[in-house]
Amino acid sequence: MAKIQMKTPLVEMDGDEMTRIMWQMIKDELLLPYIDLKTEYYDLGLEYRNQTDDQVTIDSAEATKKYGVAVKCATITPNAARMSEYDLKEMWKSPNGTIRAALDGTVFRTPIQVKGIEPCVKNWEKPITLARHAYGDVYKNTEIKVPGAGKAELVYTAEDGTVIREIIHEFDGPGILQGIHNTDRSITSFARACFSYALDTKQDLWFATKDTISKKYDHNFKDIFQEIYETEYKEKFEAAGLEYFYTLIDDAVARVMKTRGGFIWACKNYDGDVMSDMVSSACGSLAMMTSVLVSPDGVYEYEAAHGTVQRHYYKHLEGEETSTNSVATIFAWTGALRKRGELDGIPELAEFADKLERAVLQTIEEGRMTKDLALITSLSGVTVLNTLDFIRAVRETMETM
Ligand code: NAP
Ligand code: MG
């Protein structure tokens, strides 16, 4: 059969450790035999990031803006241990942080649901997509460890010199302080990304903050969402039969447990970090969670939600067999290929992505899976496959379809 032809290249961001190993296997076994794969390749592996003073990450983000669709492998965010392990010139920033900042995007994470791996929350019939605001708050904080008694103030100086000053606390002994911020511009594009994605995927949108306690900070999020909804999206939502629902974060958490799923839950940065881990672990495994960064001007970057699976990589380096789950990384590729197909008008490419996803699910449903899933499946008599054999099993399934 002739290979599927592509028009525009995908921006391919390679990564680190076990996911880098799987990246190559996925390309060799599942993509290159069927697609005349056109990619613009960026090596975001830590070694090359260090060599290029992290310029490669910036270049890959720029390329993503140019072409519109990227697929990214998990990458190491350096810490002290990595400094010596990779002999780094600097403790380079998280590539995901750099890319998010460049694209000003919102991250949507959706569990991959499959028969045999049922969510712990039994009434979750459909996946819940988490939309995490990826800018500011505690992730861009300024902190002080207060040494002793003294006065802490919050001070803003406008360009014209006007000062706004609030007392935070009069300390009578040691303590801690934290300054956080966000911008109307970032919150506005977060809101637009959420409303657009909800329309795109035909799902209701929930949003929640702690606006009763945080009467200015969190309330600002609530107000911006409401205004954007009313001025830009209300009619479209009503026409599509969709709902925008705002509530308090604690009410949202309680209600989510009772729903049947199938909606988008927009969260502030920290809530999204924590709640996406909760939703994914309730749905089985971090390795069964897709992640897409959507920018307000319609640029998409697909990845897996998990990290580089370091522990498995060290086993792999020792020559031991690994059983690392490649599902989320495969779905990153299919997400990117489907979007490329849609944008370039290549239905075969989108159909291929659908078929590959079905092959992955069918393989698992037939009882062939990696160890992480075998430990939690409700299916009996399953076969545990190693990393490469699972990918080959998916290929076999696809060949029979
Ligand atoms: P991790 O790579 O997500 O792995 C944590 C544990 O979760 C693994 O040890 C494994 O458990 C399980 N796991 C995760 N993905 C799996 C998969 N595909 N198949 C099977 N099991 C899987 O997180 P980490 O070990 O905390 O971080 C490792 C590196 O990844 C760090 O350098 C971090 O900076 C980076 N990271 C990158 C991203 C990203 O690029 N998006 C995100 C998070 C972390 P068992 O060991 O029990 O089998
Ligand atoms: Mg987290």
Side-chain angles (χ1 to χ4, degrees):
M1 230 179 66
K3 288 190 190 181
I4 299 166
Q5 297 297 311
M6 293 176 64
K7 288 179 191 157
T8 319
L10 276 179
V11 177
E12 174 183 355
M13 303 168 173
D14 207 346
D16 287 299
E17 300 195 310
M18 202 58 212
T19 40
R20 187 181 181 97
I21 307 282
M22 293 197 291
W23 194 258
Q24 197 57 49
M25 291 176 179
I26 291 167
K27 282 173 67 178
D28 289 343
E29 297 287 331
L30 300 176
L31 304 176
L32 292 169
Y34 308 101
I35 302 171
D36 207 350
L37 198 63
K38 239 191 196 176
T39 73
E40 194 164 292
Y41 180 86
Y42 292 87
D43 184 359
L44 300 198
L46 186 50
E47 234 174 271
Y48 194 64
R49 272 184 276 150
N50 189 53
Q51 253 182 59
T52 61
D53 295 339
D54 209 23
Q55 185 60 39
V56 65
T57 307
I58 297 162
D59 292 346
S60 73
E62 288 307 315
T64 305
K65 283 190 203 165
K66 178 173 164 194
Y67 293 114
V69 187
V71 55
K72 181 181 171 292
C73 179
T75 47
I76 293 169
T77 300
N79 55 15
R82 302 296 196 170
M83 291 293 290
S84 46
E85 185 184 353
Y86 284 84
D87 194 16
L88 300 180
K89 297 186 230 172
E90 251 183 62
M91 204 184 282
W92 306 112
K93 287 193 222 153
S94 147
N96 288 42
T98 304
I99 295 163
R100 272 176 215 158
L103 302 182
D104 186 17
T106 300
V107 177
F108 296 88
R109 292 192 161 177
T110 311
I112 301 162
Q113 287 190 355
V114 55
K115 279 191 217 99
I117 316 288
E118 278 79 25
C120 309
V121 183
K122 291 190 184 63
N123 41 286
W124 286 358
E125 289 161 20
K126 290 181 187 165
I128 294 169
T129 297
L130 253 293
R132 173 180 169 188
H133 186 209
Y135 177 82
D137 301 352
V138 74
Y139 299 86
K140 257 200 179 305
N141 63 9
T142 310
E143 300 188 317
I144 297 176
K145 196 155 165 31
V146 175
K151 184 164 73 172
E153 292 177 284
L154 196 58
V155 181
Y156 160 79
T157 313
E159 277 176 345
D160 69 4
T162 319
V163 169
I164 305 176
R165 191 181 288 268
E166 292 281 345
I167 293 178
I168 299 171
H169 189 63
E170 311 245 13
F171 284 91
D172 58 11
I176 41 180
L177 270 171
Q178 181 180 62
I180 59 171
H181 80 281
N182 225 300
T183 65
D184 284 4
R185 193 172 64 110
S186 176
I187 300 167
T188 302
S189 61
F190 171 46
R192 288 207 178 101
C194 291
F195 288 120
S196 303
Y197 197 73
L199 281 174
D200 227 26
T201 59
K202 301 186 182 57
Q203 299 183 86
D204 290 340
L205 178 68
W206 290 28
F207 183 45
T209 72
K210 195 69 183 173
D211 66 282
T212 48
I213 299 295
S214 171
K215 291 187 188 335
K216 289 187 179 141
Y217 198 103
D218 276 23
H219 215 289
N220 193 49
F221 278 85
K222 177 184 178 182
D223 291 343
I224 289 178
F225 264 70
Q226 193 60 37
E227 192 189 326
I228 298 283
Y229 177 64
E230 272 165 24
T231 54
E232 299 176 27
Y233 291 95
K234 194 163 188 267
E235 280 172 23
K236 291 179 202 154
F237 264 56
E238 282 170 1
L242 298 176
E243 188 193 3
Y244 168 57
F245 174 59
Y246 178 87
T247 186
L248 274 180
I249 184 68
D250 32 351
D251 181 46
V253 170
R255 280 173 191 254
V256 157
M257 290 298 162
K258 311 275 184 196
T259 64
R260 300 165 75 179
F263 57 92
I264 297 166
W265 183 12
C267 289
K268 287 178 60 201
N269 211 346
Y270 174 80
D271 297 338
D273 183 352
V274 176
M275 290 305 153
S276 61
D277 284 356
M278 184 195 72
V279 170
S280 69
S281 106
C283 290
S285 153
L286 214 55
M288 296 296 281
M289 183 96 158
T290 62
S291 185
V292 56
L293 177 74
V294 183
S295 89
D297 27 63
V299 168
Y300 295 76
E301 184 241 326
Y302 293 84
E303 61 176 329
H306 58 77
T308 60
V309 213
Q310 182 181 16
R311 200 182 67 81
H312 295 209
Y313 180 59
Y314 288 159
K315 275 176 68 180
H316 171 81
L317 290 180
E318 297 284 315
E320 282 180 55
E321 187 167 85
T322 57
S323 181
T324 315
N325 188 332
S326 51
V327 172
T329 307
I330 297 173
F331 273 61
W333 276 100
T334 51
L337 290 168
R338 182 185 297 107
K339 182 54 77 179
R340 200 63 276 169
E342 278 168 27
L343 294 175
D344 290 352
I346 312 172
E348 309 89 85
L349 202 53
E351 281 157 21
F352 174 81
D354 292 344
K355 188 168 159 187
L356 178 48
E357 288 182 1
R358 282 201 310 277
V360 168
L361 301 182
Q362 193 180 317
T363 305
I364 297 170
E365 285 167 5
E366 287 170 359
R368 291 180 295 168
M369 58 190 75
T370 45
K371 192 174 160 195
D372 56 316
L373 297 184
L375 289 170
I376 55 170
T377 185
S378 57
L379 302 174
S380 49
V382 301
T383 311
V384 178
L385 299 176
N386 68 33
T387 309
L388 180 58
D389 284 349
F390 176 75
I391 290 170
R392 289 199 168 137
V394 171
R395 182 170 176 178
E396 265 172 41
T397 310
M398 193 161 61
E399 296 281 352
T400 65
M401 282 164 69

